[in-house]
Amino acid sequence: MLDVLVFGPHPDDAELGAGGAITKAVVEGLKVGIIDLTAGEMGTLGTKEIRLKEAQSAAKKLGVEFRENLGLPDGYLGLDISQEDIFAVAKKIRQYQPKIVLAPYWIDRHPDHVASSEIITKAAHYAKLKKFKLEYPQHKIQQLIYYELNGQFTPSFIMDVSDFFERKKEAIMSHKSQFKEFSKVYLPFPLVERCVYYGSLIDVSFGEAFMIRDSLKVDKWKTIINK
Ligand SMILES: [Zn+2]
């Protein structure tokens, strides 16, 4: 059983969008796993083998329990979403029974990111339906939370990742075939500046933005009072 299951379209997306929050969850004692939907084999840089290796070394930096790859077809994912793709993700949700699932935001210039968002969103739905026989028993997650890649949203909340920004950087730079300089990681504008910007909105050094479609339940004022 996991607390947080993070899905990424390509082998570097989870850390690009949520690397700080992932490490923060691990440090807080939560059980976190990452599943990449594709191996990024259609990317201009790197090969499937190199990218899978880089993803594992990034996972070590983040400190997660495991990182798997579903092996869905990179590049083609954005062309056509199949029932098999949705059920493959739904099975993983049932297998690991996470409380929270992280998925990429559904508006993005990369069709694979858009498709992944839809696949994961639908998978979370089918994972909870008892009458769909998907290898494991049904599982209902508590919250589906979206992170940013190339798209931007008005955040539902911003997580303070100041203490974990270095680890996010190390994880991203583990993808040596993809990135040479951290200051030149664009999504589509500099990632560092994006995190500084979100940090500034909550008065900290670095922040990561998240969005939820469902309302977040607040049962105690203390939940939303920081100090
Ligand atoms: Zn990607």
Side-chain angles (χ1 to χ4, degrees), residues 9-10 12-13 110 113 149:
H10 303 113
D12 51 5
D13 286 325
H110 196 314
H113 295 178
L149 289 172

Side-chain angles (χ1 to χ4, degrees), residues 64-193:
V64 294
E65 304 262 321
F66 65 83
R67 183 172 211 160
E68 291 180 12
N69 196 287
L70 264 190
L72 300 184
D74 182 30
Y76 295 91
L77 208 58
L79 290 170
D80 185 26
I81 292 173
S82 72
Q83 183 178 304
E84 285 73 31
D85 297 339
I86 295 164
F87 285 174
V89 173
K91 272 186 208 168
K92 288 293 171 185
I93 293 173
R94 287 186 172 192
Q95 182 183 350
Y96 291 114
Q97 303 167 46
K99 296 184 178 82
I100 288 170
V101 164
L102 291 192
Y105 178 43
W106 59 89
I107 295 176
D108 196 292
R109 67 181 175 184
H110 196 314
D112 280 356
H113 295 178
V114 176
S116 298
S117 188
E118 187 180 340
I119 289 168
I120 299 155
T121 303
K122 287 182 173 170
H125 175 75
Y126 290 105
K128 72 183 173 198
L129 299 180
K130 197 177 173 181
K131 288 187 178 170
F132 278 87
K133 303 291 177 208
L134 297 169
E135 215 169 314
Y136 303 94
Q138 87 223 70
H139 176 71
K140 186 177 188 300
I141 63 169
Q142 290 176 20
Q143 200 65 255
L144 177 57
I145 303 176
Y146 298 90
Y147 59 85
E148 288 183 347
L149 289 172
N150 294 305
Q152 265 198 296
F153 46 59
T154 301
S156 303
F157 64 91
I158 297 169
M159 193 165 282
D160 175 9
V161 296
S162 307
D163 293 341
F164 309 100
F165 197 69
E166 196 54 35
R167 292 270 287 279
K168 176 183 173 90
K169 175 184 171 182
E170 285 173 17
I172 291 169
M173 295 314 289
S174 298
H175 299 274
K176 292 193 180 80
S177 68
Q178 308 300 305
F179 308 111
K180 301 295 172 218
E181 259 181 76
F182 190 55
S183 61
K184 290 194 176 143
V185 178
Y186 291 92
L187 259 181
F189 51 85
L191 177 68
V192 176
E193 285 165 31

